[in-house]
């Protein structure tokens, strides 16, 4: 029996390139869709450079390639120096372009996996489950939550994975926010040091690769490492390797007092959200 053909949007990105390589190693045929080309060379890999806002081009790819599964990764999460990355631009990529993929996949009756983020949960305390009502704060979280709701309205065969902050051995930008003010020299610790839910790229890729052989259940799942990221352990490791030369200590009571004093002025904003996550890290479960 021949392996399925999987269409991956955002195939040249950090997560997408790892996923594509894993799928190819597992014997799948992969259709990569991205605005920029990657470096993958494989007889079972075909690549299409396309703007996801171009409905006709996307439809043509589905018609030509006839994928058995779709994994939608393409999104804007970080500015990366782009001066035009305002909310309108993020909405276009994360919501409007996602809608194009959702509708075309539904037209071709292709099951779809949508990769979302725990950022949709926003300023939520207590144990979080897939049924917890989201309260997004950031542009990324807001638009991803909008796309989740849109998918539920459009698709008849889908699943949603909410990823915790993803890291690789070399790329730790998202998790460094938990212990660095300015890498690689200025680290920080709040109180006794926090523990955070994160997601190793290998576990993320395994979850997506395993999904390809499963029947969609129109459900939502949170992906995270079993072990929490321990700030104290990380800082010790960083110092042992010659980084984190300066470690600033902030008493928890001081940070909490600052949060409650500033919140009336900041409201639900990126700065207040960053402090919130430092004080009340996510604790999630799929049960």
């Amino acid at each position: 029996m021949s392996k399925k053909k999987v269409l991956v949007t955002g195939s040249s990105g950090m997560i997408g390139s790892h996923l594509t390589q894993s799928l190819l190693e597992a014997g799948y045929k992969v259709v990569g869709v991205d605005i920029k080309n990657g470096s993958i060379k494989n007889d079972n890999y075909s690549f299409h450079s396309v703007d996801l806002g171009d409905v006709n081009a996307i439809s043509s790819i589905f018609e030509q390639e006839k994928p058995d599964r779709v994994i939608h990764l393409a999104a804007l999460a970080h500015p990366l120096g782009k001066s035009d990355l305002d909310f309108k631009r993020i909405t276009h990529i994360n919501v409007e372009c996602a809608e194009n993929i959702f509708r075309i996949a539904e037209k071709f009756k292709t099951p779809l996996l949508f990769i979302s983020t725990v950022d949709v949960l926003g300023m939520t305390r207590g144990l979080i489950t897939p049924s917890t009502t989201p309260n997004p704060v950031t542009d990324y979280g807001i638009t991803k939550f909008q796309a989740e709701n849109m998918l539920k309205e459009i698709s008849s065969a889908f699943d949603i994975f909410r990823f915790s902050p993803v890291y690789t051995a070399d790329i730790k930008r998202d998790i460094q926010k938990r212990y660095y003010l300015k890498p690689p020299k200025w680290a920080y610790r709040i109180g006794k040091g926090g523990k955070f839910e994160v997601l190793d790229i290998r576990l993320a890729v395994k979850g997506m690769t395993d999904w390809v052989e499963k029947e969609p259940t129109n459900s939502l799942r949170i992906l995270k490492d079993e072990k929490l990221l321990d700030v104290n352990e990380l800082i010790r490791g960083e110092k042992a390797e010659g980084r984190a030369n300066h470690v600033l200590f902030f008493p928890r009571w001081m940070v909490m007092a600052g949060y409650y004093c500033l919140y009336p002025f900041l409201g639900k904003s990126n700065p207040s959200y960053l402090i919130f996550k430092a004080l009340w890290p996510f604790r999630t479960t799929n049960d």
Side-chain angles (χ1 to χ4, degrees):
M1 184 177 178
S2 61
K3 287 278 192 175
K4 292 182 175 68
K5 180 183 286 190
V6 186
L7 187 148
V8 178
T9 70
S11 59
S12 299
M14 187 264 280
I15 300 176
S17 58
H18 281 81
L19 171 61
T20 298
Q21 193 63 52
S22 173
L23 290 168
L24 290 169
E25 290 173 359
Y28 293 102
K29 295 180 179 179
V30 181
V31 180
V33 176
D34 205 311
I35 198 68
K36 63 181 186 299
N37 201 347
S39 57
I40 295 174
K41 304 294 182 183
N42 190 295
D43 291 341
N44 285 329
Y45 181 63
S46 59
F47 177 79
H48 299 265
S49 177
V50 63
D51 185 334
L52 296 184
D54 189 337
V55 176
N56 291 332
I58 300 169
S59 293
S60 295
I61 293 170
F62 272 75
E63 183 68 45
Q64 173 188 337
E65 298 285 2
K66 296 179 173 55
D68 301 295
R69 292 286 189 274
V70 174
I71 300 179
H72 182 52
L73 276 163
L76 282 177
H78 304 284
L80 296 178
K82 297 180 181 178
S83 59
D84 64 339
L85 195 58
D86 56 13
F87 186 69
K88 182 177 179 180
R89 175 66 176 164
I90 294 173
T91 299
H92 172 67
I93 299 298
N94 293 359
V95 182
E96 295 168 4
C97 289
E99 180 181 3
N100 292 340
I101 295 295
F102 299 162
R103 293 195 181 281
I104 294 169
E106 180 65 13
K107 174 184 174 183
F108 285 87
K109 304 300 180 186
T110 312
L112 183 144
L113 174 62
F114 176 52
I115 304 306
S116 188
T117 170
V118 293
D119 264 6
V120 304
L121 299 165
M123 299 168 84
T124 302
R125 299 192 200 184
L127 187 62
I128 296 166
T129 73
S131 62
T132 299
T133 301
N135 183 26
V137 175
T138 65
D139 291 349
Y140 180 54
I142 291 169
T143 53
K144 279 291 191 175
F145 184 47
Q146 291 174 350
E148 285 185 11
N149 290 331
M150 186 176 296
L151 175 62
K152 293 173 184 176
E153 294 177 0
I154 293 172
S155 182
S156 58
F158 71 91
D159 285 306
I160 299 170
F161 285 178
R162 286 179 182 162
F163 281 1
S164 296
V166 178
Y167 66 95
T168 73
D170 302 316
I171 302 176
K172 300 180 180 180
R173 177 184 56 227
D174 285 341
I175 67 173
Q176 282 181 334
K177 297 174 185 176
R178 276 72 179 170
Y179 57 97
Y180 265 122
L181 283 176
K182 187 174 183 180
K185 293 185 177 181
W186 290 91
Y188 74 95
R189 180 166 64 90
I190 296 174
K192 295 180 180 180
K195 295 183 178 182
F196 300 89
E197 293 184 355
V198 293
L199 178 61
D200 189 312
I201 185 70
R202 293 169 295 183
L203 182 60
V205 166
K206 183 180 186 305
M208 292 183 286
T209 303
D210 289 348
W211 175 85
V212 172
E213 291 299 329
K214 298 177 180 178
E215 290 302 316
T217 57
N218 296 6
S219 62
L220 191 155
R221 179 183 167 201
I222 300 168
L223 267 66
K224 61 180 180 178
D225 291 352
E226 288 187 13
K227 182 181 178 181
L228 295 172
L229 178 148
D230 187 315
V231 166
N232 290 322
E233 288 183 6
L234 277 169
I235 291 177
R236 283 195 295 269
E238 292 287 296
K239 290 179 75 68
E241 295 181 9
R243 298 183 291 273
N245 309 86
H246 312 283
V247 182
L248 301 179
F249 169 71
F250 300 98
R252 181 179 172 83
W253 67 264
M254 182 186 294
V255 178
M256 190 172 294
Y259 173 80
Y260 283 117
C261 288
L262 290 172
Y263 186 78
F265 303 98
L266 296 174
K268 287 173 57 176
S269 62
N270 284 350
S272 62
Y273 181 48
L274 288 173
I275 301 172
F276 180 94
K277 288 194 294 184
L279 290 169
W280 298 285
F282 288 143
R283 293 294 181 265
T284 63
T285 177
N286 286 304
D287 298 330

